[in-house]
Amino acid sequence: MLPVLFDLAPKKSRKDLYNYEYELEQLHRFYLSSRVVAVVGCRRIGKTSLMLTFLNEWNVPHIFIDCRRISFSSYGASFRGFVEEFSRALKEFVSSLRGRASRLLDYLRDVKGVEIDFSVGKVSLKWGKRDRVDIISLLNKLDAFAHGEGFRVALVFDELQELHPINIDFAKLLAYIYDHLQNIVVIISGSQAGLLYDMLKIEDPTSPLYGRVIAEIHIPRLPKEKAGDFLTKGFTEVGVEVGMDIIEKAVNVLDGIAGWLVYFGWSYIHGVKDLEEILNIAAKQEAEEIKRFLARSRNEKRYREILKAIAQGRNRWSEIKRAVELVEGVEIDDKNFNELLKNSLKQVS
């Protein structure tokens, strides 16, 4: 029997989404009433599963851009990678429209950088400097099409922080959609909530998004009793008997993060029954996330020293600051250090 709860792929069905019924209904309400929705939570908590389940259960017209695909592409986090992923997502959207696809293509036919093959109903976007796609014009046409069809399009950016290095002002783009495109609802998700909001700068008076209401959905960790129930049901589903001592140990260590509970269950039923080995894999993946964060930062050296000080057990502001200053041999401005420390803590929380 194929596992459902322990399936490593993101969930797309309400019956397979464990425990997040409230957040699912909340996302539906915000889709109907809001302009920009942010789904935030720690890594592997289930943000993608929540969004995909919502889109599928309510049959929401959507363009789903997986920003991780962009950062992992052969071009890296670049404008070309962004346009190619946008193009892929737009093709999927056109295919989902079926009988209405030709009407959307008619709307898009005059947009700069949009190439359409009416014979097979295909669309692609160009990224070159001379003929690169005019994203604002494209979104305006998409909004007009949605208005004519009587629905709202969900424009989803999953793990938006992955696009931080790209030279696109996403705060300005989202503000434009917010103000002018009433038939497009932007849904963004981010693992690193701080970096997500640093990108959009919604609390900065100089930001284009300042003063606009961003509806927020925070996905919590599973409480211990729920995490234990999840593992018990998952093992029962595939007919594997596991002692409660093993389940309790996994629950205590994996800290209610659904993705790691799934990974533990999947690994166990496939023969990897050493919890320490599973934890080592998890730790390596978390370390890789932090490395990628450091690589994107202009203050990589200072972040490394801050994280090292925290790892060494220094838990007071003054102790951490002093440790970094000793390494650098200079005094660090308090305000700048506060920002660095705040961003560092977001990576380890």
Side-chain angles (χ1 to χ4, degrees), residues 74-337:
S74 56
Y75 312 109
S78 63
F79 184 79
R80 177 176 180 176
F82 171 72
V83 171
E84 290 192 352
E85 173 60 15
F86 199 154
S87 184
R88 182 203 61 78
L90 184 59
K91 288 175 185 175
E92 287 191 355
F93 176 59
V94 171
S95 297
S96 73
L97 293 172
R98 299 182 182 178
R100 296 181 290 190
S102 60
R103 293 201 287 276
L104 174 58
L105 296 180
D106 278 336
Y107 273 92
L108 300 180
R109 67 190 310 161
D110 296 326
V111 177
K112 179 186 176 184
V114 176
E115 191 173 71
I116 297 172
D117 187 338
F118 284 96
S119 64
V120 292
K122 296 291 184 181
V123 60
S124 61
L125 308 180
K126 298 180 180 180
W127 54 268
K129 287 185 177 180
R130 290 185 177 181
D131 55 358
R132 67 174 46 181
V133 60
D134 183 339
I135 293 175
I136 293 297
S137 294
L138 170 62
L139 293 175
N140 272 284
K141 295 293 186 180
L142 179 63
D143 179 74
F145 167 75
H147 176 74
E149 298 297 321
F151 58 60
R152 306 183 94 194
V153 175
L155 178 59
V156 184
F157 294 95
D158 192 14
E159 300 292 358
L160 179 66
Q161 76 277 346
E162 296 294 333
L163 303 187
H164 192 257
I166 297 179
N167 188 26
I168 297 177
D169 190 336
F170 283 97
K172 187 177 293 185
L173 178 62
L174 266 57
Y176 180 85
I177 296 172
Y178 190 110
D179 291 344
H180 302 290
L181 308 182
Q182 303 301 310
N183 304 286
I184 297 177
V185 181
V186 178
I187 302 176
I188 55 179
S189 81
S191 297
Q192 303 161 15
L195 184 55
L196 178 65
Y197 285 95
D198 289 344
M199 280 181 69
L200 303 182
K201 302 185 188 317
I202 61 175
E203 297 178 350
D204 183 346
T206 65
S207 170
L209 279 173
Y210 184 73
R212 292 168 175 81
V213 177
I214 309 295
E216 296 184 34
I217 298 174
H218 294 267
I219 304 184
R221 299 168 189 250
L222 293 174
K224 286 189 175 181
E225 63 273 15
K226 288 286 188 179
D229 180 63
F230 174 83
L231 289 177
T232 300
K233 286 181 176 178
F235 287 123
T236 300
E237 183 182 62
V238 293
V240 174
E241 292 188 12
V242 179
M244 283 305 300
D245 57 327
I246 295 175
I247 289 179
E248 288 176 3
K249 184 177 180 182
V251 166
N252 287 331
V253 172
L254 297 174
D255 200 23
I257 299 177
W260 288 123
L261 292 167
V262 169
Y263 185 77
F264 167 73
W266 183 91
S267 300
Y268 196 95
I269 64 177
H270 285 83
V272 183
K273 300 187 177 183
D274 184 351
L275 181 58
E276 293 303 319
E277 182 178 344
I278 295 171
L279 290 176
N280 285 337
I281 295 172
K284 287 178 181 177
Q285 291 194 22
E286 292 295 309
E288 188 60 33
E289 289 282 350
I290 293 176
K291 285 181 182 177
R292 293 174 63 207
F293 161 72
L294 292 173
R296 288 195 293 258
S297 170
R298 297 178 181 176
N299 297 289
E300 178 179 356
K301 184 177 179 181
R302 280 186 174 173
Y303 279 128
R304 286 186 182 278
E305 293 303 326
I306 289 172
L307 292 173
K308 182 190 292 185
I310 294 171
Q312 291 172 343
R314 294 181 173 90
N315 53 22
R316 294 175 179 270
W317 181 91
S318 58
E319 292 176 341
I320 300 170
K321 183 171 184 285
R322 180 60 179 158
V324 178
E325 289 176 337
L326 283 173
V327 172
E328 295 193 1
V330 297
E331 185 175 351
I332 304 173
D333 176 75
D334 287 353
K335 182 178 179 181
N336 290 339
F337 183 76

Side-chain angles (χ1 to χ4, degrees), residues 14 20-28 50 53-54 58:
R14 194 173 201 151
Y20 292 128
E21 188 69 25
Y22 172 78
E23 288 77 16
L24 188 62
E25 293 289 342
Q26 189 179 33
L27 181 51
H28 181 228
L50 181 79
T53 298
F54 157 68
W58 276 277

Side-chain angles (χ1 to χ4, degrees), residues 23-47:
E23 288 77 16
L24 188 62
E25 293 289 342
Q26 189 179 33
L27 181 51
H28 181 228
R29 290 197 302 272
F30 286 156
Y31 162 74
L32 295 175
S33 61
S34 303
R35 303 292 301 114
V36 178
V37 184
V39 179
V40 295
C42 66
R43 287 177 283 266
R44 301 183 70 91
I45 199 68
K47 300 179 298 297

